[in-house]
Amino acid sequence: MDHHLSPEHEELRRTVEEFAHDVVAPKIGDFYERHEFPYEIVREMGRMGLFGLPFPEEYGGMGGDYLALGIALEELARVDSSVAITLEAGVSLGAMPLHLFGTEEQKREWLPRLCSGEILGAFGLTEPEAGSDAGGTRTTAVRDETTGDWVVNGTKCFITNSGTDITGLVTVTAVTGRTADGKPQISSIIVPSGTPGFTVAAPYSKVGWNASDTRELHFDDVRVPAANLLGTEGRGFAQFLRILDEGRIAIAALATGLAQGCVDESVKYAKERKAFGRAIGGYQAIQFKIADMEMKAHTARLGWRDAASRLVAGEPFKKEAAMAKLYSSTVAVDNAREATQIHGGYGFMNEYPVARMWRDSKILEIGEGTSEVQRMLIARELGLPS
């Protein structure tokens, strides 16, 4: 498979690389330290069309594909992961469910504003007792027989982009009934921000991703019209499995970007920092560390691009997406640790980007399916007993 980028994809890569270095890099450290959402940067990303990359032009998108999204995420994450995860969640989790499963009316209502970055969407899946076991959903949605409205009750946690000033909606998974054998029947329902009974908690105090928005959500007799059902009733479980499969490619691209950013910063520091009379980059111990880091980042890139290419071509990609996510997240943690070691005491100082990368890396082995879940998926795709 040819992994060379097309001229269009290469132009996108250079554009986002320039934006990341010229706009994001000089400002994001202050936002990160203040735990503040970077509205100005996000608005600029919207004007660039990044939130509309994989969506059709008829809905305000750029007419691109998932490979284009991954390229943008990798280049952003080479500089900062908070900005990258805001884009990833806004596209893969916020807008993609509407694109894949929404009615024409739902697409016309929401996608143009999501593609432009005017509003952000969020995906309410995880709950306090339903993380990796997403089938353990406790949130419920019951039809009011008089009005036909859905009445939603429950709690969601760790939801990205859910409490910003520009959040427009959250797609919530909820139990809407039971199957013949008593298993929960899960559906997806659109809940617009500001709906009575829908409250958003204060931002979490997080180890990393400090310039991104992550909240707990509460639904207390939240009423939305019957038309807010996303897709077919009872198909919510299958829908979010599809969303997570695709999202793993996006997270793999983001993780690859962080891993490559660690290489970038380590090379720069190793050329400048002197010890025992010469630059530390001249010592074999440092050279070997950086060489291994580059090898891992390169291999991770091949993995996510392969999975994305399969998705774009309409081929099966579940196993490849799981492998890409598992490997790239592991590499991100490894490279962040080594980059911090190369920087020595300065790597422990927040003024250096590698300190931010170290703090941001660990969540990549957890979000969008833990490393353990990825291994389960790979084993199943190989035909091993479940």
Side-chain angles (χ1 to χ4, degrees), residues 74 77-79 255-267 293 297 301 335 339 343 353-354 357:
E74 181 179 337
R78 286 178 74 164
V79 170
T256 300
L258 188 151
Q260 188 65 60
C262 290
V263 177
D264 299 342
E265 293 298 326
S266 295
V267 169
M293 291 163 63
R301 182 174 301 109
N335 278 16
H343 279 69
V354 294
M357 293 171 177

Side-chain angles (χ1 to χ4, degrees), residues 123 125 134-135 173 186 235-245:
F123 190 53
L125 170 64
T173 54
I186 297 176
R235 294 292 296 168
F237 193 85
Q239 288 172 5
F240 74 66
L241 288 179
R242 167 69 184 276
I243 292 299
L244 291 179
D245 282 340

Side-chain angles (χ1 to χ4, degrees), residues 20 41 45 58 79 92 103 113-114 136 149 163 172 205 225 250-251 263 277 297 318 325 340:
I41 293 174
M45 289 163 59
E58 63 180 303
V79 170
S92 298
T103 63
R113 288 186 290 162
L114 290 166
D149 292 345
V172 179
S205 175
I251 291 295
V263 177
K318 181 187 287 285
K325 198 273 182 183
T340 303

Side-chain angles (χ1 to χ4, degrees), residues 136-160:
T137 299
R138 297 290 182 266
T139 296
T140 61
V142 179
R143 289 288 292 271
D144 185 317
E145 295 182 1
T146 301
T147 64
D149 292 345
W150 291 104
V151 182
V152 183
N153 283 279
T155 298
K156 300 291 181 177
C157 60
F158 311 138
I159 310 303
T160 305

Side-chain angles (χ1 to χ4, degrees), residues 66-135:
Y66 223 86
L67 180 60
L69 174 64
I71 290 167
L73 289 170
E74 181 179 337
E75 291 301 325
L76 288 172
R78 286 178 74 164
V79 170
D80 179 71
S81 291
S82 291
V83 170
I85 195 59
T86 298
L87 176 62
E88 191 279 333
V91 175
S92 298
L93 303 180
M96 192 59 72
L98 287 154
H99 172 59
L100 292 178
F101 311 116
T103 63
E104 187 63 24
E105 291 75 16
Q106 289 169 342
K107 293 178 183 179
R108 296 290 178 189
E109 179 181 1
W110 294 109
L111 281 181
R113 288 186 290 162
L114 290 166
C115 288
S116 69
E118 176 188 344
I119 63 172
L120 295 174
F123 190 53
L125 170 64
T126 305
E127 299 184 3
E129 296 182 5
S132 297
D133 178 19

